[in-house]
Amino acid sequence: MTHHTDTDGHKQFYIATANLLNFANPGRIYYDNAPAYDNEAYQHKLNGITGLLAKAHADIIAVQEVWDSDALEALAISLGFKAEHVVIPLASNDSASPYTQGQGAQETPAVGIISRFEQLESSLLEEIADKAIIDIPDIGPYHRFNRPPLLLRVNAFGQPITIITAHLKSKRPYFLRDSEGNLLEDMDDPNIRVRAKLRSLCMRAAEAASIRMSIIQRLQHNREPLILLGDMNDVTGSVTTQLMTETGEVNYDKSMRDVALFDAARIQGRYGWMKDVAYTHIYQGMPEVIDQLFVSEEFLPDSKFSLGHVERVDYFNDHLKWDYADRVTDHGIIRAKIKLHS
């Protein structure tokens, strides 16, 4: 598969995000209470994800919920990429890895990026920024990301672009446990349940604020584009997602454009997205968009600093209607087609 270039010389690429729902090597336990994949289940999962992602034919794919780099490399190869196009430090199966000693992700799955473009720089956002640290009820200051976001700077047709993928803390209640993992709270007490959800919200808020500060640092007085995408575990208009993007601030202060991010679906050239039922996840029976893709002002068509534009955004979500046993992931895939000015 080659780079997507138009006959009229347009430089363009597709970028997608996909939560792969506990994608792990066969035979390895990733959660104590979940069975390992046998070879057949692993192959079913690999083939299924390949089938879904092949339709998106993306040049850059951000992924979440991956436990092993070997599994992600197998997926990349089955999609026509090379193993070296995979970046996923926290799920490494290389014994020389300082993070994993080759054991893959531990305790929680990792985020990664597959990119056919040259990699210029990559880093993990591990520490919560000082100004974003808050006290989590009954736990104390939240210093580190639960699942560190990955930043990868790539060279797309000579244009450096920074990609950040994140998988924020879920809305699931966070109950207190001892060092052995035993519950310390009564999960059936409704007031405790609310407090446990409050903890999750505080964690997600701190993570969102910290990502925001990293983005500001990258974008301020700088004309290099940035794309933020991943599983944000809340809807586009939510407080935590808007904390990361600050899209709304632009309405009051035009100078905020320099550091704000814009929902790719809202600014796409082909503004037909209203007729598509856009959703990427079904939460308690209700469809919602929690997998998102945001771009900096360099991809706004009407910006004086525009370097390209989002031509279209597509949601691949038909598999969410399949029977549970047939679903290889419980998230839809969102993909944007971005055209750079020649």
Side-chain angles (χ1 to χ4, degrees), residues 115-131:
S115 167
R116 64 175 75 260
F117 295 117
E118 176 199 1
Q119 299 161 18
L120 301 174
E121 171 198 346
S122 88
S123 58
L124 288 163
L125 309 182
E126 294 180 88
E127 307 286 330
I128 301 284
D130 288 349
K131 294 261 190 300

Side-chain angles (χ1 to χ4, degrees), residues 94-280:
D94 176 350
S95 57
S97 161
Y99 297 107
T100 66
Q101 287 74 50
Q103 304 293 304
Q106 299 299 314
E107 290 174 24
T108 188
V111 304
I113 297 174
I114 307 171
S115 167
R116 64 175 75 260
F117 295 117
E118 176 199 1
Q119 299 161 18
L120 301 174
E121 171 198 346
S122 88
S123 58
L124 288 163
L125 309 182
E126 294 180 88
E127 307 286 330
I128 301 284
D130 288 349
K131 294 261 190 300
I133 292 173
I134 55 172
D135 279 340
I136 310 300
D138 313 308
I139 292 174
Y142 192 59
H143 286 288
R144 292 180 67 81
F145 279 91
N146 183 37
R147 293 179 285 252
L150 174 64
L151 181 151
L152 183 69
R153 202 160 149 260
V154 300
N155 170 9
F157 310 110
Q159 173 61 58
I161 301 174
T162 297
I163 320 280
I164 298 177
T165 187
H167 184 189
L168 297 194
K169 183 78 189 74
S170 78
K171 294 180 193 171
R172 268 198 304 277
Y174 187 94
F175 293 103
L176 299 178
R177 294 173 184 274
D178 66 17
S179 54
E180 324 287 42
N182 304 307
L183 266 175
L184 295 172
E185 294 182 295
D186 177 5
M187 288 170 79
D188 298 324
D189 179 331
N191 292 313
I192 299 240
R193 184 185 65 244
V194 170
R195 191 162 179 86
K197 285 181 177 172
L198 178 61
R199 289 179 198 128
S200 292
L201 174 60
C202 292
M203 290 172 184
R204 194 165 64 258
E207 291 177 351
S210 185
I211 289 171
R212 178 73 197 133
M213 290 170 190
S214 297
I215 287 168
I216 290 171
Q217 201 181 343
R218 286 267 159 179
L219 286 181
Q220 218 160 14
H221 318 308
N222 175 341
R223 291 291 146 235
E224 197 170 289
L226 182 144
I227 300 172
L228 168 71
L229 73 175
D231 176 355
M232 306 316 179
N233 262 316
D234 209 341
V235 295
T236 314
S238 67
V239 173
T240 48
T241 301
Q242 287 305 312
L243 198 54
M244 281 188 294
T245 61
E246 293 195 299
T247 314
E249 298 291 329
V250 176
N251 301 334
Y252 310 103
D253 177 2
K254 285 285 179 273
S255 72
M256 275 293 295
R257 265 188 161 193
D258 180 38
V259 290
L261 294 179
F262 303 86
D263 181 2
R266 295 255 168 195
I267 60 161
Q268 63 179 308
R270 191 195 57 134
Y271 206 87
W273 72 289
M274 294 298 281
K275 72 178 188 298
D276 297 322
V277 182
Y279 65 91
T280 67

